[in-house]
Amino acid sequence: MNKDNNIVCEVELIDEKKVKAVQKRLPDDSLITELSETFKNLSDFTRLKILLSLAEDELCVCDIAALTGVSVSAISHQLRLLKNNRLVSHRKEGKMVYYSLDDEHINKIVNEASKHCKEYAE
Amino acid sequence: MNKDNNIVCEVELIDEKKVKAVQKRLPDDSLITELSETFKNLSDFTRLKILLSLAEDELCVCDIAALTGVSVSAISHQLRLLKNNRLVSHRKEGKMVYYSLDDEHINKIVNEASKHCKEYAE
DNA sequence: ATTTCAATTGAATAATTGCTCAAATGTTGT
DNA sequence: ACAACATTTGAGCAATTATTCAATTGAAAT
């Protein structure tokens, strides 16, 4: 803490001016946290495949399990995560529950990421 | 295995036709794997903050550590991951190593994800 | 040569995560 | 009421991961 009772960085800086300029342009930590949590949803093979599938069509849990080759239980756990993060929504029809994509941004995000992947395929 | 010695799905399907149609439109598993690995890089708070910082300016390891409030060693470990995934590049200048963003897609991906986050901020 | 400093590396540890298994819910059909 | 079925849930486990710490590398300065 300095004399004004502010927290000051005790790590040695090489270029303090540059660091402060960058810091000023960064989003709030809270937004960075939200962003990283959003990307976490896309960072698992199974979850990403679920999202890509739902981008094509609405599907029930059982069919998602078949598509991904993962147990129904595991899919249900993953769907709960995706639901909590507002990436999928669901609708009940009798015994069955149909899930669908709840965000038009997902496709755009995946498309941009695909460009990155393809750029470095050798 | 069926009579042709192919692996067949033993899970019961609800709507086989729909599943096959979706399956046909999905990217290869190898691309899904690459995509999920790309998103994994963005899914950690520290790494994402590093990338957002480098999007603003080229920075040395020490200054990135100061910016993020994380030890130099931890930053170095994370930078190695980002370097392996072709998200950052580096240039040496004497004792110091300057890192910079090596992908113009990162900004677009983050921008799209920001829209998702802001849509659900209540 | 020796010291100093920025950065890297490897081992170790605590925390997180994705899956399995078993049990529970809730709905439909008999 | 009961059985069958789709889905959910919670506990437990193995694998992964982000950080710390200590030691090392490589470059500049004395």
Side-chain angles (χ1 to χ4, degrees), chain A residues 52-117:
Chain A
L52 290 167
S53 301
L54 295 180
E56 298 298 334
D57 208 338
E58 176 190 65
L59 291 164
C60 68
V61 177
C62 178
D63 282 352
I64 298 173
L67 251 166
T68 53
V70 174
S71 77
V72 167
S73 174
I75 293 298
S76 188
H77 280 297
Q78 298 289 22
L79 284 169
R80 188 165 51 83
L81 291 180
L82 295 174
K83 201 165 56 183
N84 288 345
N85 281 270
R86 311 295 248 302
L87 291 171
V88 303
S89 56
H90 67 287
R91 134 185 113 74
K92 290 193 179 181
E93 190 176 314
K95 287 182 281 189
M96 304 173 58
V97 181
Y98 285 95
Y99 282 84
S100 54
L101 202 59
D102 191 30
D103 195 305
E104 79 270 20
H105 303 304
I106 296 297
N107 284 317
K108 293 184 186 173
I109 296 172
V110 170
N111 282 341
E112 283 300 326
S114 297
K115 288 181 198 166
H116 166 78
C117 290

Side-chain angles (χ1 to χ4, degrees), chain B residues 61-105:
Chain B
V61 177
C62 179
D63 282 353
I64 298 173
L67 251 165
T68 53
V70 174
S71 76
V72 167
S73 174
I75 292 297
S76 188
H77 281 295
Q78 297 290 21
L79 283 170
R80 189 165 48 84
L81 290 179
L82 295 174
K83 201 165 54 183
N84 289 344
N85 281 271
R86 309 296 245 308
L87 292 171
V88 304
S89 57
H90 67 288
R91 136 185 113 72
K92 289 194 181 180
E93 191 177 314
K95 285 183 281 190
M96 304 174 59
V97 180
Y98 286 94
Y99 282 84
S100 54
L101 202 59
D102 191 30
D103 194 306
E104 80 269 20
H105 302 304

Side-chain angles (χ1 to χ4, degrees), chain A residues 6-50:
Chain A
N6 294 320
I7 295 166
V8 286
C9 183
E10 298 173 36
V11 181
E12 275 189 61
L13 294 176
I14 300 298
D15 188 342
E16 188 172 356
K17 206 171 122 196
K18 194 202 274 183
V19 168
K20 289 214 166 136
V22 169
Q23 205 151 30
K24 198 156 40 171
R25 299 177 60 101
L26 286 181
D28 286 348
D29 277 7
S30 59
L31 178 56
I32 299 179
T33 300
E34 277 186 77
L35 281 167
S36 67
E37 279 165 8
T38 298
F39 289 125
K40 196 162 289 175
N41 284 290
L42 305 169
S43 71
D44 174 73
F45 181 89
T46 303
R47 275 196 302 272
L48 184 55
K49 198 164 188 176
I50 292 173

Side-chain angles (χ1 to χ4, degrees), chain B residues 16-46:
Chain B
E16 189 172 355
K17 206 170 126 195
K18 194 201 274 183
V19 167
K20 289 215 166 136
V22 169
Q23 204 151 32
K24 199 157 37 173
R25 298 177 62 99
L26 286 181
D28 285 348
D29 276 7
S30 60
L31 178 56
I32 300 179
T33 300
E34 277 186 77
L35 282 168
S36 67
E37 278 166 8
T38 299
F39 289 125
K40 197 162 286 174
N41 285 290
L42 305 169
S43 71
D44 174 74
F45 180 88
T46 303

